[in-house]
Amino acid sequence: MSSAVHIHLDPVGGIAGDMFVAALLDARPDLAARVLADVAAVLPAEAGAARLAEVVNGGIAARHFSLVAAPSQPDAHHHHGHGHHQHTAHGTFAGMRSRIRDSALSPGTAEAAVGILTILAEAEARMHRLPIEEVHFHEIGDWDSLMDVVAAGSLIAALNAKSWSVAPLPLGGGMVKTAHGLLPVPAPATAEILKGFDWRDDGIAGERVTPTGAAILRFLVGASPAPRPAAARLGTVGYGAGTRQLPGLPNVLRASLFTLDAAGIDETRLIEIAFDIDDMTGEEIAHAADLLRTHTGIRDVRLIPAIGKKGRPLTTFALLAEPQAFDLVSDTIFLETSTLGLRFHTVERRVLAREQAVTSQGHPVKHARRPDGTRTSKVESDALAGVASLAVRRRIAKAED
C-alpha cells in the first residue's frame, strides 16, 4: 500500500492493544504473516502463540487477537487490560526493550514497538517519580501485552500511513483492579498518557481504554490529535473485538483506511520545535544538528544565527517533527543539547505528491505534480555535487527533465 494513506480509528467499544491489532489485520489480512512472524520471534515457546480468530461481537463480524497458551503452560493466557497480571522477568522497561531489540523482527517493527513502550514507561516514571530505567510495568507485565506491543509496532511499520486520527474516546466508569489496588477508570497510566485527547461518556462502565491502547494512540497521533482529512477516498474497513460483551453496544474498534486526495495534494500536520543555544561550541552544535537530522520522525532541521541577551551570539534550532515522534524527539534534544526548554506548536503543511526516479544517466530525480496537472522534475543536488560549475549542473538538470 502506498504511503499516501490516512487511518481513522473509531473506538466504539474502546481501544486496547489486541483490539488495535485485530482491527488492522481485519482491514489488511495480507499483513497477518508478517505480524505473526514478528510475535513468534519475540515470545518464548513456553509463553504460547498468537491466534487471530473470526468472531461476532454485538452483531458485528470482527477479528479477535489473543495469546493461546502452550500445552504445557495452561496459565500462560491472561485476559488483557483488567489488571489481573502475572509479573514475569521481562516486566521491566529495560528488560522488555532489550528483548524487542534483540529479536529478529521485520524492518521498522522494533523501533515502533520500543516507541510505544517508551510512552508507557515515561507515564509510569512520572507517576511514581522513578528514573525511566527503573520502571516496572505493573499493568502490562505479562506476555500477551508484549505480544500486543510488538504486533502493533509491526503493523504501524508495515502500513507506513501518512497520518492517523481517532474519534473521542469512551470514558468508561467504575473502578479497575491494579497493582496499587482499586483505582477509578480510566487507570492512572491511561489518564496520564491521554492528556489532551477528547473523551465522551456513553454511560457504559468499565475500563474502555487500556494503558497499552492509550500508548499506541499517543505514539500514532502525538500531542495534538488531528481530524480526518477533508479530501480522501475510503478504502478498506476493519473491526477488532475485545473480550467483553457490552450492554447495547458492540465492543469493537473500527479502523478505516483512506487514500488521500486523488489529485495528489495532501494536507498534513507537523510540529515545529524551536530552541536557542548560546553555550555550546560550533563543533558541538554541528554534531547535535547531524544527530537530529537522522532522527526518526524529524523532517527538517534549520540552524539560524541570532543575537541574544547581553549581546551574546546564539544559534536557534528550528525543527519540523512528525506529531507521533514529538516525545522521543524532545527527549533527544534535551539529551544531545544544552537547552533547558523548547517552544513548539502545530503547523499545517500542504505538499504536492512526489515520486523518486532514476534517469537514464543514473542520477536520482524528484518528480512533482502541480495542481494544473503539469509535472516538474529536479535532479537531486547531492548527485550533482561533483559537477564543476553551476551552468553545467543546470544543463544536466534541464536535459534530464
Side-chain angles (χ1 to χ4, degrees):
M1 183 170 288
S2 72
S3 60
V5 169
H6 176 88
I7 301 178
H8 181 72
L9 303 173
D10 285 297
V12 182
I15 180 168
D18 54 353
M19 295 172 74
F20 174 82
V21 173
L24 288 170
L25 286 179
D26 192 39
R28 290 290 305 274
D30 57 300
L31 296 177
R34 170 194 166 115
V35 171
L36 294 176
D38 280 347
V39 167
V42 82
L43 288 182
E46 65 270 17
R51 179 175 66 182
L52 185 65
E54 295 183 356
V55 298
V56 176
N57 190 299
I60 300 292
R63 299 276 183 143
H64 183 247
F65 186 67
S66 60
L67 179 65
V68 178
S72 60
Q73 300 289 329
D75 297 327
H77 184 188
H78 308 289
H79 290 292
H80 180 80
H82 296 282
H84 305 293
H85 297 294
Q86 178 177 326
H87 301 304
T88 52
H90 72 282
T92 64
F93 170 60
M96 293 175 81
R97 181 180 59 189
S98 295
R99 187 170 192 90
I100 292 170
R101 288 178 172 171
D102 293 344
S103 299
L105 303 174
S106 302
T109 295
E111 188 173 38
V114 169
I116 294 166
L117 270 184
T118 301
I119 291 170
L120 278 162
E122 287 174 340
E124 291 276 357
R126 285 193 296 270
M127 287 189 300
H128 301 300
R129 302 294 189 268
L130 285 173
I132 190 170
E133 296 297 326
E134 295 180 17
V135 165
H136 190 287
F137 289 123
H138 294 291
E139 306 310 322
I140 66 155
D142 51 1
W143 290 122
D144 63 349
S145 296
L146 179 63
M147 175 187 75
D148 292 344
V149 166
V150 171
S154 183
L155 280 163
I156 291 165
L159 288 163
N160 191 29
K162 182 75 74 175
S163 52
W164 297 74
S165 56
V166 61
L169 302 164
L171 189 62
M175 308 293 280
V176 61
K177 185 178 180 182
T178 75
H180 309 290
L182 288 174
L183 291 169
V185 170
T190 302
E192 177 72 19
I193 291 167
L194 292 181
K195 291 175 180 176
F197 280 67
D198 293 329
W199 297 80
R200 59 181 171 83
D201 188 357
D202 58 13
I204 299 176
E207 185 183 33
R208 308 286 295 282
V209 179
T210 68
T212 303
I216 291 169
L217 288 180
R218 189 59 146 197
F219 180 78
L220 292 173
V221 305
S224 54
R228 275 178 289 190
R233 182 189 305 119
L234 180 61
T236 58
V237 178
Y239 293 87
T243 53
R244 292 176 57 202
Q245 298 292 324
L246 301 179
L249 189 73
N251 186 18
V252 297
L253 170 72
R254 182 172 71 180
S256 303
L257 279 61
F258 293 88
T259 301
L260 293 168
D261 185 2
I265 298 174
D266 174 23
E267 302 280 350
T268 62
R269 287 186 174 196
L270 294 175
I271 294 180
E272 188 169 48
I273 307 170
F275 57 95
D276 300 327
I277 297 292
D278 64 2
D279 57 353
M280 291 173 65
T281 67
E283 290 87 351
E284 290 168 340
I285 287 173
H287 178 68
D290 287 343
L291 274 174
L292 292 170
R293 285 191 182 98
T294 59
H295 193 287
T296 300
I298 293 181
R299 299 286 187 87
D300 186 46
V301 177
R302 289 177 292 130
L303 301 183
I304 306 162
I307 301 297
K309 293 183 293 186
K310 302 179 182 178
R312 290 190 302 218
L314 59 82
T315 300
T316 296
F317 280 65
L319 289 73
L320 286 177
E322 297 168 2
Q324 68 269 22
F326 175 76
D327 290 336
L328 294 178
V329 168
S330 59
D331 286 350
T332 301
I333 291 169
F334 286 128
L335 289 170
E336 301 296 340
T337 75
S338 61
T339 189
L340 300 178
L342 307 175
R343 304 181 295 276
F344 60 92
H345 61 275
T346 301
V347 294
E348 300 286 346
R349 193 174 75 116
R350 191 183 193 202
V351 297
L352 296 176
R354 288 162 288 182
E355 59 184 40
Q356 301 281 354
V358 177
T359 69
S360 58
Q361 297 184 34
H363 295 301
V365 62
K366 184 183 295 179
H367 300 295
R369 191 168 297 281
R370 303 290 165 176
D372 63 0
T374 60
R375 191 175 76 159
T376 56
S377 304
K378 178 185 176 184
V379 179
E380 295 287 2
S381 59
D382 288 349
L384 302 177
V387 180
S389 71
L390 178 61
V392 174
R393 290 201 297 271
R394 284 174 173 165
R395 284 200 297 274
I396 291 175
K398 185 175 182 180
E400 296 190 337
D401 188 352

